Amino acid sequence: MIALHSPQIVQETVLRWKKDGKKVAFVPTMGALHAGHLALVEAAKSLAPKVIVSIFVNPLQFAQGEDLSKYPRTLEADSDLLEKLDVDVLFAPSEKEFYAEDFVTQVRVGKLTEHLCGKFRPGHFEGVATVCLKLFQITQADFAIFGEKDFQQLRVISQMTSDLNLPLSVVPYPTVREADGLARSSRNVYLSAEERALAARIPQATKAANDAYRAHPSANVGSVLAAAAAALETPGIRIEYLEVASEKDLVPCDKALAMRDIFLPRLFLAARIGHTRLIDNTALDLRIEIA
Ligand code: AMP
């Protein structure tokens, strides 16, 4: 593995690979790598002979007052993990190397960013779309792998890729979870032992929603949400949003709407435990058994 900091050198390296006809799979991350990230890297390895992983805590996607300055940074340990996985290039630019002083471009993916996290994190998805478009240009990736854990992000990047005819495939990867079902996240390290115990309620809530739907396939959105809320509502957890939306448009559905009438319904939630904001989502599907 080689660690590169300069966007230009990454571009030159990839150009040489491409001359040899090699395809490139790319995994963008903000580092503090965990089993979820590593699963994405393994998927990348199965897709293409060359793999690039980026580690960049992108200031554009953090609003004022969010956790940019205290976001966990563990570059040395991350680099060791990626070396073991035999990644070809680790791209870890500094902020200065990545964004020129006169950088002003912003990419905005409309509609899909209006609700769910987009409503509570102003400017977040503009920052995400902008950094990803720039990273795709630098890495010239044929495949980019994104986790379903950040489902709205995955949809936004897929939409941007399609809208702008970007020559790459966005590949989704299922959420990797802890033994009790909590989605792996770099932000889990912020949780105290007590908060971590409370966080187990999040996967319990998504399971309760699925159980409610499976028990009553004629259920409406309100009753599915009530089942999730009952599992989640406890002192110490503040629900930011809890919604059912179609995967297609990510617009929260009316509580009176029958679940059956929603195309690919999915439960989305964000909750704060102490100072930590956690998100999760799950497909609401009558066909699959939820573990
Ligand atoms: P991040 O470093 O949090 O920006 O995440 C980088 C990539 O890893 C994104 O595509 C995330 O969706 C994905 N990711 C983060 N956590 C998980 C997880 N628990 N399971 C699968 N993918 C994940």
Side-chain angles (χ1 to χ4, degrees):
M1 182 181 86
I2 46 171
L4 299 175
H5 304 274
S6 149
Q8 199 189 329
I9 294 179
V10 174
Q11 273 176 328
E12 287 166 9
T13 305
V14 177
L15 211 65
R16 283 199 297 277
W17 293 345
K18 296 242 159 166
K19 274 195 184 133
D20 292 340
K22 300 256 166 52
K23 297 251 186 218
V24 177
F26 171 51
V27 182
T29 82
M30 297 203 299
L33 300 182
H34 52 67
H37 296 115
L38 301 183
L40 267 58
V41 175
E42 291 288 6
K45 287 176 64 177
S46 73
L47 286 166
K50 293 290 185 187
V51 171
I52 302 179
V53 177
S54 66
I55 294 182
F56 182 58
V57 182
N58 173 35
L60 284 193
Q61 70 190 68
F62 288 78
Q64 244 181 6
E66 290 188 347
D67 57 346
L68 172 63
S69 60
K70 68 174 179 123
Y71 196 84
R73 288 162 169 89
T74 57
L75 188 57
E76 219 170 290
D78 292 351
S79 173
D80 289 347
L81 288 169
L82 297 173
E83 177 96 58
K84 282 197 190 104
L85 288 185
D86 207 17
V87 162
D88 295 280
V89 165
L90 162 59
F91 175 43
S94 68
E95 200 181 317
K96 265 195 173 157
E97 283 163 307
F98 197 75
Y99 291 119
E101 239 175 274
D102 59 352
F103 186 90
V104 288
T105 301
Q106 285 275 323
V107 183
R108 197 179 72 82
V109 180
K111 286 212 165 138
L112 285 178
T113 60
E114 281 173 12
H115 302 284
L116 309 175
C117 285
K119 189 168 154 192
F120 293 90
R121 301 190 67 186
H124 171 67
F125 287 113
E126 282 84 347
V128 168
T130 305
V131 78
C132 285
L133 182 54
K134 203 165 151 60
L135 286 166
F136 294 166
Q137 293 299 108
I138 293 167
T139 60
Q140 297 159 69
D142 300 286
F143 304 95
I145 300 90
F146 284 84
E148 287 182 350
K149 151 129 194 307
D150 303 278
F151 197 86
Q152 192 170 16
Q153 168 174 282
L154 164 67
R155 287 286 292 110
V156 166
I157 299 303
S158 301
Q159 188 71 40
M160 173 183 79
T161 299
S162 148
D163 286 354
L164 302 182
N165 302 89
L166 303 183
L168 88 162
S169 304
V170 173
V171 180
Y173 193 90
T175 303
V176 176
R177 296 176 179 281
E178 308 265 0
D180 64 357
L182 180 67
R184 300 244 179 195
S185 165
S186 304
R187 290 187 166 98
N188 291 354
V189 300
Y190 297 151
L191 299 168
S192 68
E194 229 168 85
E195 291 168 346
R196 174 62 187 82
L198 272 181
R201 295 235 182 187
I202 292 175
Q204 286 163 11
T206 58
K207 182 174 185 309
N210 243 313
D211 288 349
Y213 183 29
R214 291 160 64 82
H216 301 284
S218 60
N220 63 16
V221 169
S223 59
V224 167
L225 287 176
L232 212 51
E233 276 167 4
T234 185
I237 299 184
R238 276 170 299 138
I239 301 173
E240 190 171 88
Y241 64 77
L242 176 63
E243 305 281 5
V244 170
S246 164
E247 289 183 15
K248 188 167 183 287
D249 61 12
L250 305 185
V251 178
C253 296
D254 195 277
K255 288 195 169 60
L257 193 62
M259 289 292 300
R260 267 215 178 104
D261 292 338
I262 304 168
F263 177 64
L264 298 177
R266 212 168 176 97
L267 183 84
F268 293 90
L269 69 88
R272 286 184 188 272
I273 301 183
H275 294 296
T276 308
R277 181 178 183 277
L278 299 172
I279 58 172
D280 205 348
N281 69 89
T282 190
L284 294 168
D285 195 328
L286 294 176
R287 291 165 304 167
I288 53 166
E289 273 297 334
I290 304 299

